[in-house]
């Protein structure tokens, strides 16, 4: 795999990792409402681990295009019981939040990764919090809040501009004390990227360019609209997100083959299979030391 550093505190596998999504929200794009009840969210997270997820990403605020923000207290109320119980059961938990206070709460409860879709731009305290906690940090390319982010999807050269903006964010959080070994980069598929302008495909076809920044890469295209657009029917109607899971698996296979550190997905089982196929293909099957009985290797974390 191309990336140099292994982020601290997370499973270390000789293959692309799989992050399973648990959105504890009433309004997320593809699974809004399904896991809003904490009990159901916990059950779902555990099921995803059984299906082969290495990390569970718990989020309490929808970031779908057009979404309005929730309060900090409401966000904490949503994620807290889910993070606590998954941690208690030994699951590596990621907290998907743009707020340092929510991240702090989750890290205190045992979360091992802060997944900040704003790349530290939404909350000026985030970099300091991450630096102080020492946990792994996903820094995603972002140009603004969901309610108007698509208006900001204006690029002359999307690959060059996203690369440059990510590099600036990297410099900025490192200046604030974040250890580069904590940082995972994410090009932010779907965030201020327009399906009709093929922004997402341009980024995916240039993953190598992002590898040059020297950090592990997270690819999070699961069920996103650019897949639905690609799979439009003869009348030009976009495929609904529920029909995009097979395309997500194809994306996972290619991302794993191109050296992605992790993929973030909703439907874990087929994607967990795909990353294992990609690893077996790459190694010729010589380094496969994990079975599926203990999918996250809880004993060895
Ligand atoms: N996308 C969503 C939520 N969290 N985190 C990262 N790092 N990268 C992403 O692209 C990303 C994310 C929105 O997707 P969802 O609402 O379908 O979960």
């Amino acid at each position: 795999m191309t990336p140099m550093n292994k982020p601290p505190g997370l499973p270390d596998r000789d293959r692309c990792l799989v992050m399973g999504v648990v959105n504890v929200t009433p309004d997320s794009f593809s699974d809004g409402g399904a896991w809003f009840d904490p009990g159901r969210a916990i059950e779902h997270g555990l099921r995803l681990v059984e299906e082969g997820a290495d990390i569970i990403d718990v989020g309490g605020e929808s970031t779908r295009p057009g979404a309005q923000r929730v309060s900090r207290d409401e966000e904490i109320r949503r994620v807290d019981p889910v993070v606590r119980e998954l941690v208690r059961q030994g699951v590596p938990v990621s907290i998907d939040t743009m707020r340092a206070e929510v991240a702090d709460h989750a890290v205190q409860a045992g979360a091992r990764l802060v997944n900040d879709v704003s790349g530290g731009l939404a909350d000026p305290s985030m970099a300091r919090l991450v630096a102080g906690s020492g946990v792994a940090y996903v820094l995603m390319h972002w140009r603004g809040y969901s309610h108007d982010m698509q208006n900001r999807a204006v690029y002359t050269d999307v690959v060059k501009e996203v690369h440059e903006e990510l590099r600036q964010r990297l410099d900025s959080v490192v200046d604030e004390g974040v250890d580069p070994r904590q940082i995972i980069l994410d090009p932010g598929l779907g965030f201020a990227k327009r399906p009709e302008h093929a922004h997402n495909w341009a980024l995916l076809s240039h993953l190598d360019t992002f590898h040059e920044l020297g950090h592990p890469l997270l690819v999070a295209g699961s069920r996103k609209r650019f897949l639905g657009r690609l799979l439009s029917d003869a009348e030009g109607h976009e495929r609904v997100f529920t029909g995009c899971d097979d395309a997500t698996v194809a994306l996972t296979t290619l991302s794993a083959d191109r050296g992605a550190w992790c993929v973030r997905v909703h439907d874990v089982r087929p994607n967990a299979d795909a990353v294992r196929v990609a690893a077996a293909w790459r190694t010729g099957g010589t380094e496969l030391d994990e079975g599926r009985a203990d999918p996250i290797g809880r004993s060895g974390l």
Side-chain angles (χ1 to χ4, degrees), residues 219-232:
V219 175
S222 179
R223 296 182 176 175
K224 286 193 176 164
R225 232 193 91 204
F226 69 98
L227 296 176
R229 185 174 177 91
L230 179 77
L231 305 172
S232 295

Side-chain angles (χ1 to χ4, degrees), residues 21 23 28-31 57 63-64 96 115 117 138 140 186 188-189 191 218 220 222 224 264 266:
V21 179
N23 286 319
S28 283
F29 178 62
S30 76
D31 57 355
D57 191 39
T63 48
R64 76 182 152 75
D96 187 343
N115 176 21
V117 299
V138 173
M140 197 191 84
D186 178 343
L189 300 174
F191 287 79
L218 174 67
S222 179
K224 286 193 176 164
R264 179 183 181 277
H266 301 84

Side-chain angles (χ1 to χ4, degrees), residues 4-69:
M4 311 66 222
N5 58 310
K6 300 277 187 188
L10 294 171
D12 180 2
R13 302 260 179 261
D14 192 24
R15 60 163 170 75
C16 179
L17 298 180
V18 175
M19 175 186 277
V21 179
V22 177
N23 286 319
V24 196
T25 59
D27 58 345
S28 283
F29 178 62
S30 76
D31 57 355
W35 325 114
F36 193 39
D37 169 71
R40 295 194 62 196
I42 293 161
E43 227 174 80
H44 184 56
L46 294 173
R47 188 174 328 117
L48 297 186
V49 170
E50 289 307 316
E51 290 179 1
D54 301 288
I55 302 167
I56 298 296
D57 191 39
V58 180
E61 178 174 42
S62 169
T63 48
R64 76 182 152 75
Q68 298 298 320
R69 299 216 66 188

Side-chain angles (χ1 to χ4, degrees), residues 108-185:
Q108 300 289 338
R112 303 184 196 186
L113 186 151
V114 174
N115 176 21
D116 175 8
V117 299
S118 83
L121 285 167
D123 187 335
S125 307
M126 186 63 99
R128 253 174 294 127
L129 177 275
V130 169
S133 71
V135 298
Y137 179 55
V138 173
L139 187 155
M140 197 191 84
H141 176 260
W142 188 79
R143 281 191 168 180
Y145 292 103
S146 301
H147 66 91
D148 75 340
M149 66 180 174
Q150 294 312 69
N151 296 330
R152 298 168 191 248
V154 181
Y155 302 91
T156 307
D157 180 334
V158 66
V159 176
K160 224 165 137 183
E161 289 166 58
V162 170
H163 181 277
E164 178 54 21
E165 289 166 35
L166 268 181
R167 200 191 52 71
Q168 287 171 8
R169 292 307 308 145
L170 252 177
D171 289 349
S172 168
V173 301
V174 170
D175 279 352
E176 290 196 69
V178 178
D179 185 327
R181 285 171 297 191
Q182 291 174 259
I183 302 173
I184 296 142
L185 297 177

Side-chain angles (χ1 to χ4, degrees), residues 181-281:
R181 285 171 297 191
Q182 291 174 259
I183 302 173
I184 296 142
L185 297 177
D186 178 343
L189 300 174
F191 287 79
K193 319 288 181 318
R194 283 190 175 273
E196 57 276 33
H197 294 311
H199 291 147
N200 301 285
W201 293 114
L203 295 168
L204 285 165
S205 66
H206 288 84
L207 269 194
D208 278 358
T209 307
F210 295 96
H211 279 310
E212 285 164 15
L213 289 165
H215 292 265
L217 297 180
L218 174 67
V219 175
S222 179
R223 296 182 176 175
K224 286 193 176 164
R225 232 193 91 204
F226 69 98
L227 296 176
R229 185 174 177 91
L230 179 77
L231 305 172
S232 295
D233 66 17
E235 277 87 49
H237 300 120
E238 289 180 14
R239 178 90 58 88
V240 292
F241 64 82
T242 41
C244 292
D245 280 332
D246 294 342
T248 299
V249 177
L251 201 65
T252 289
T253 311
L254 291 164
S255 301
D257 185 56
R258 303 295 189 276
W261 167 76
C262 183
V263 289
R264 179 183 181 277
V265 297
H266 301 84
D267 184 17
V268 163
R269 188 185 299 280
N271 289 285
D273 290 352
V275 295
R276 286 161 174 83
V277 168
W281 185 294

